[in-house]
Amino acid sequence: MPGPTLSVVMATHGHGGVLARSLGAICEQSRPPDEVVIVDDASTDRTREVLAEFQSRYDFLKITRNQRNLGAIPSLDRAFALASGDYLYGAASDDRVLPGTFELALESAREFPHAGLICGEVVRVDALGRNPIRLGFKAWDTRRFVSPADVRRDWLEAETAMHSVSTATIYRRASLEAAGGFPWDLHSWADTFAARTIALRDGLVFLPQPLAEWTYDPQSLSQQTRQDPHKLLDLARRAARAMESPQHRDLYPPDFVARWEAEFRQQVIEGYCDDVESASQALARARSVLKRGGPLAKLGSVAARLGVGALNLMLVTSVRSSLARYRGQAT
């Protein structure tokens, strides 16, 4: 009997400088994917040339180009709709699948054909590939099938509200479709929400090793959301409403939804306050330099003072209005 098939899906825009690294890691796996579906969202850099070069070497690459820039979510939606594999992996242009990942995943798929997900650990690095941080699950350290009950206890109840290893997650198509697909209105959290919902329905296979390297990029879709507390709070509200919907409320009891939303909001507030504290410390150091004089002050004391003053005003105003909004939304 033939084994399960795997589709890798990617939407890319303006990543010509890093795309070859990501595609190389995908195409040179010990068990290559059956197809790699890429939607180029009207890139104007070297992306087209990089894709053409890879397509000349790997016949499983299927490339579609948007005539105009549609954005990350519509492009991802289009890419997933074009994929045909039994299992789906969403790749990012600047991340890297680690060697052997697809072979291990598909071996697990054959052993546990009813598991909704196959996932492992993620290594987070900066844009230069430095400062690695390993991200996984506190409760799991061996290869195993994790039942829906254990998913609830060891993941949803034990990890933080924002916890996600989507970079190292492969979805079984049938389970994804049964769960309603990716809720794209949740934007950067659509894959995490889908993964949690699928795991609560069908369980998952956990592989106790890093499967992918996630590059921290402040300009990425997920980080742009994380940097805006208002967007994060709106995301929490919409995710909670999705949990409470008739389609999913059998998986997410009301008391869990309330706890999850409260914890998510608390993490947003604490993270925002930490950012403000860091910015305030930087402002204090800048003021100290300006008062002492020296090369920095001589090069642009007036411009620096204007910048510090503007940033200080922005921070004070933003903190006051945001915290007031948080308190209002939390009640």
Side-chain angles (χ1 to χ4, degrees):
M1 294 291 292
T5 56
L6 172 67
S7 296
V8 174
V9 171
M10 177 188 291
T12 188
H13 174 73
H15 282 93
V18 296
L19 188 56
R21 177 176 176 270
S22 178
L23 279 179
I26 291 167
C27 296
E28 294 163 15
Q29 288 280 307
S30 56
R31 197 293 193 187
D34 296 277
E35 65 177 5
V36 179
V37 179
I38 302 174
V39 173
D40 176 11
D41 192 20
S43 298
T44 57
D45 63 349
R46 292 187 60 252
T47 295
R48 184 179 294 192
E49 288 78 7
V50 173
L51 291 176
E53 194 275 329
F54 270 86
Q55 195 170 33
S56 69
R57 293 161 51 194
Y58 302 100
D59 58 7
F60 51 74
L61 262 68
K62 300 177 180 179
I63 299 170
T64 300
R65 179 177 171 82
N66 293 338
Q67 294 303 307
R68 59 184 179 85
N69 181 253
L70 300 179
I73 295 302
S75 297
L76 279 170
D77 192 25
R78 185 180 185 191
F80 275 104
L82 292 170
S84 61
D86 301 317
Y87 286 80
L88 304 170
Y89 175 72
S93 305
D94 54 351
D95 295 339
R96 183 170 69 96
V97 180
L98 296 179
T101 289
F102 295 159
E103 183 176 2
L104 286 171
L106 291 173
E107 286 175 358
S108 298
R110 284 190 291 271
E111 185 175 354
F112 304 100
H114 301 299
L117 299 176
I118 300 159
C119 69
E121 298 177 346
V122 175
V123 177
R124 191 186 79 177
V125 296
D126 64 19
L128 298 177
R130 306 172 304 184
N131 305 317
I133 299 175
R134 194 161 165 169
L135 308 172
F137 297 85
K138 295 190 289 286
W140 307 329
D141 57 7
T142 59
R143 181 178 178 273
R144 55 172 293 197
F145 172 76
V146 183
S147 69
D150 288 348
V151 165
R152 182 179 302 281
R153 183 192 65 210
D154 296 338
W155 182 5
L156 274 66
E157 298 285 356
E159 301 289 350
T160 64
M162 292 185 180
H163 181 274
S164 175
V165 290
S166 293
T167 309
T169 298
I170 295 174
Y171 305 83
R172 185 166 72 98
R173 173 190 287 278
S175 293
L176 178 62
E177 292 174 349
F182 293 106
W184 293 118
D185 61 314
L186 297 183
H187 296 280
S188 62
W189 223 66
D191 50 359
T192 300
F193 184 90
R196 290 175 174 225
T197 300
I198 291 168
L200 284 172
R201 290 186 182 277
D202 299 329
L204 61 84
V205 177
F206 174 70
L207 302 175
Q209 64 188 71
L211 301 183
E213 191 175 80
W214 167 45
T215 302
Y216 174 81
D217 178 6
Q219 301 305 312
S220 69
L221 177 67
S222 62
Q223 293 310 308
Q224 287 180 8
T225 301
R226 280 180 173 267
Q227 291 166 15
D228 187 329
H230 302 303
K231 286 183 179 179
L232 277 176
L233 288 172
D234 182 58
L235 187 153
R237 179 187 59 79
R238 285 184 285 114
R241 300 299 82 78
M243 294 178 199
E244 294 171 336
S245 69
Q247 184 178 12
H248 300 306
R249 62 190 177 198
D250 60 318
L251 301 175
Y252 298 101
D255 59 335
F256 168 80
V257 177
R259 289 196 309 273
W260 177 86
E261 188 173 8
E263 182 185 343
F264 195 105
R265 290 178 180 279
Q266 187 63 32
Q267 284 182 252
V268 172
I269 294 170
E270 290 175 355
Y272 185 69
C273 289
D274 287 344
D275 289 344
V276 169
E277 172 116 12
S278 299
S280 298
Q281 291 171 356
L283 284 168
R285 289 194 295 271
R287 291 193 187 97
S288 177
V289 169
L290 290 170
K291 287 179 180 177
R292 290 198 306 270
L296 265 179
K298 291 177 181 177
L299 282 173
S301 60
V302 174
R305 286 180 190 278
L306 286 173
V308 168
L311 182 58
N312 188 42
L313 177 61
M314 179 189 72
L315 282 170
V316 170
T317 303
S318 183
V319 169
R320 287 175 178 167
S321 64
S322 296
L323 290 180
R325 182 177 176 183
Y326 295 157
R327 292 189 186 100
Q329 290 184 344
T331 58

